[in-house]
Amino acid sequence: MTLMNNKKFHDWDAYYKENKVEKMPWYNANLDSDLENHIKSNHLHGGKFLDLGTGPGTQAIQLEQLGFDVTGTDISENAIIKAQKLSSKVRFFTDDFLNSKLADKEFNYIFDRGCFHVFDEE
Ligand SMILES: C[S@@+](CC[C@H](N)C(=O)[O-])C[C@H]1O[C@@H](n2cnc3c(N)ncnc32)[C@H](O)[C@@H]1O
């Protein structure tokens, strides 16, 4: 599936408003296996994690449960409202990473799952 060529993903906020996150093609309630392997093999524990384009927030929530201090951001306010209902321990807020409010903040780790690859190279 090429999300970039799929018009319904051009308006992320409407998509999150109109659809159940559990039905979205990228939805994964569990920790992404690549991320899990990376955390284990690099013995990562603690520290500040940013989940860019957090969407349903599942990865951010899993990371918080592993003991990381997690911020999850997304351009879609509707995605963030839904994610906030699932966890009060993760700091979820709207942010466009192309013009981010977080430019002066520091994180130990920044995670992107399914976000950058929806953009053209330029
Ligand atoms: C394929 S979804 C992946 C969601 C989430 N990372 C996951 O794994 O469930 C891509 C996400 O990127 C978000 N997104 C797209 N453009 C963005 C931007 N400029 N800034 C922040 N988030 C963006 C979308 O709203 C959407 O939630």
Side-chain angles (χ1 to χ4, degrees):
M1 177 181 58
T2 309
L3 292 179
M4 209 160 61
N5 296 330
N6 192 329
K7 288 213 179 333
K8 74 181 173 184
F9 295 116
H10 288 192
D11 187 346
W12 292 102
D13 202 38
Y15 187 71
Y16 277 103
K17 186 175 184 186
E18 291 158 14
N19 294 280
K20 286 189 182 306
V21 292
E22 295 81 2
K23 301 282 182 201
M24 296 181 181
W26 50 85
Y27 183 81
N28 181 1
N30 302 310
L31 191 64
D32 181 279
S33 57
D34 289 336
L35 178 58
E36 184 174 17
N37 290 338
H38 188 81
I39 288 170
K40 281 186 181 159
S41 59
N42 290 286
H43 311 288
L44 305 186
H45 53 85
K48 292 186 176 182
F49 237 109
L50 171 62
D51 182 20
L52 272 185
T54 192
T58 53
Q59 303 308 303
I61 291 167
Q62 292 289 333
L63 288 165
E64 189 281 326
Q65 288 173 357
L66 288 177
F68 295 99
D69 176 355
V70 187
T71 298
T73 62
D74 201 282
I75 199 167
S76 165
E77 189 176 4
N78 282 300
I80 291 299
I81 288 169
K82 290 183 181 188
Q84 283 171 335
K85 289 182 182 156
L86 300 178
S87 173
S88 57
K89 293 182 179 163
V90 175
R91 282 178 301 279
F92 285 115
F93 61 90
T94 48
D95 191 50
D96 176 355
F97 66 67
L98 297 176
N99 184 22
S100 180
K101 295 175 269 192
L102 293 170
D104 63 343
K105 301 275 185 273
E106 291 190 1
F107 294 91
N108 300 102
Y109 319 103
I110 299 179
F111 177 60
D112 159 44
R113 177 174 182 268
C115 199
F116 286 123
H117 78 260
V118 302
F119 286 85
D120 293 326
E121 264 184 48
E122 60 273 20

